[in-house]
Amino acid sequence: MEYIFGPVLSRRLGLSLGVDLLPHKTCNLDCVYCEIGRTASLTCKRGILAPEEKVLREIASCSGYEFDHLTFAGSGEPTLSASLGRCIRRAHELTEKPVAVITNSTLLTDPLVREEVAAADLVLPSLDAATEPTFQKINCPSPTIRIADVIDGLCRFREEFDGEMWLEVMLVKDYNQEEAPLIAKAAEEIGPDRIQLNTVVRPPSEPVLPLSREEMLEMLDIFPGAEVIPDWDWQVPELMKAELLELLYTRPRQVDEIGELLGLKIDDLMKYLNILEGEGLLGRRMQKGSLYFVAPRGDNRGFSNEL
Ligand code: SF4
């Protein structure tokens, strides 16, 4: 199938059957933490980017699949697809499962986009900044987008949308953690049903670092009532820790290779790597645009942030 992916186990949506209406990495942001790489096409222009009837046929063909949500997400920002509203509405006819949209929130400034997205049962917008300098630094937006407008669009959407709204805040070390109180204030104004705090757990497009467990838990004081997105058990099983370090002692390795060698899913592996990195047992470096993890033996740990 070309436009459907999964079902995949999502930390927020359970078993999620994904619908991707975009060519690879089409977005109006170029977030430093993006797990699908640098934005290939930085644009705010909406268009028909996938053949609607084919997408709908693919959704219909998944009627026998088990999943918890049908989720519009994928290779970029789904609201850039001018087919989104029609596809959501038709998807309701094709499945009884709740329809979700994951969005970076930027086009919710547009009443038409708000109306289209409001056809979903569950909307998961994101907000990583409250001031323009931080927005520029972490989300690297298309030139016409302003964070004040984005927050205003989110407030309007909340007023107009009856369904569930779960606001995600991605916290990145040295990028937006200082701004957390202002983001929390904006989130309070928006009034989502849930606030979900996240940090970098998958290979990012830029060499950025996650917040530690302690820092994430401290954030719960700044965002009252928020939740840290589940899936963190904050511990690496001893045997797994030994196997991981042994592998990385021999040479730097990329995430895919480590996952394959240890038979681990990327999500679990990234969680373990982040924890061991936080403990100072390994580090990461960029080589020719690719991310590698390294673990020098003994005292020879000159890897910290060698990116
Ligand atoms: S909005 Fe999403 S897809 Fe776009 S750059 Fe940011 S993380 Fe990547």
Side-chain angles (χ1 to χ4, degrees), residues 284-286 294 302-307:
R284 57 178 85 188
R285 67 164 66 126
M286 292 295 281
V294 293
F303 51 74
S304 56
N305 302 339
E306 201 178 337
L307 299 160

Side-chain angles (χ1 to χ4, degrees), residues 15-262:
L15 216 45
S16 167
L17 185 67
V19 187
D20 187 357
L21 300 175
L22 303 168
H24 182 68
K25 201 58 207 290
T26 303
C27 196
N28 49 6
L29 301 182
D30 193 7
C31 305
V32 291
Y33 58 79
C34 185
E35 67 195 50
I36 46 179
R38 299 301 307 267
T39 295
S41 173
L42 186 72
T43 177
C44 280
K45 198 167 179 303
R46 304 187 77 207
I48 305 289
L49 303 166
E52 227 168 284
E53 288 308 320
K54 192 161 182 207
V55 172
L56 293 166
R57 272 201 301 279
E58 288 193 6
I59 295 175
S61 73
C62 296
S63 58
Y65 288 22
E66 276 191 24
F67 56 93
D68 300 311
H69 290 90
L70 182 76
T71 308
F72 287 83
S75 306
E77 171 48 36
T79 58
L80 285 170
S81 165
S83 310
L84 181 65
R86 283 190 299 276
C87 285
I88 294 173
R89 282 191 292 275
R90 294 281 304 278
H92 283 302
E93 295 163 13
L94 298 170
T95 173
E96 290 177 352
K97 299 290 180 181
V99 175
V101 177
I102 297 178
T103 172
N104 66 23
S105 313
T106 52
L107 292 188
L108 295 176
T109 51
D110 178 342
L112 177 62
V113 174
R114 292 201 296 274
E115 189 188 324
E116 288 182 22
V117 175
D121 301 290
L122 168 63
V123 177
L124 300 96
S126 57
L127 181 71
D128 309 327
T131 66
E132 202 54 39
T134 301
F135 183 49
Q136 296 293 329
K137 189 172 157 191
I138 191 168
N139 298 123
C140 312
S142 186
T144 53
I145 306 173
R146 293 285 167 267
I147 191 63
D149 298 335
V150 176
I151 293 170
D152 185 59
L154 279 162
C155 290
R156 285 169 190 262
F157 181 69
R158 175 68 290 184
E159 285 165 18
E160 296 163 10
F161 177 53
D162 292 332
E164 282 281 307
M165 180 181 184
W166 300 353
L167 185 73
E168 178 181 29
V169 180
M170 176 66 86
L171 294 155
V172 180
K173 203 172 192 65
D174 299 331
Y175 274 76
N176 62 348
Q177 73 198 98
E178 296 300 319
E179 190 148 309
L182 290 178
I183 302 171
K185 190 164 172 284
E188 193 184 342
E189 279 165 27
I190 294 162
D193 297 286
R194 292 163 78 169
I195 299 174
Q196 299 184 313
L197 306 179
N198 202 354
T199 192
V200 185
V201 292
R202 293 182 177 135
S205 65
E206 292 292 315
V208 296
L209 297 171
L211 265 58
S212 67
R213 175 194 183 194
E214 288 69 29
E215 288 168 327
M216 286 300 282
L217 294 178
E218 279 165 23
M219 286 293 162
L220 294 175
D221 292 334
I222 298 174
F223 291 85
E227 57 196 294
V228 172
I229 292 182
D231 190 54
W232 292 91
D233 61 8
W234 311 106
Q235 282 183 350
V236 185
E238 279 306 314
L239 184 63
M240 182 55 63
K241 180 174 169 177
E243 286 182 359
L244 251 171
L245 291 176
E246 199 54 48
L247 260 187
L248 293 176
Y249 284 151
T250 54
R251 63 175 172 81
R253 293 178 196 268
Q254 289 183 267
V255 172
D256 288 352
E257 184 192 1
I258 306 169
E260 209 166 291
L261 287 168
L262 296 181

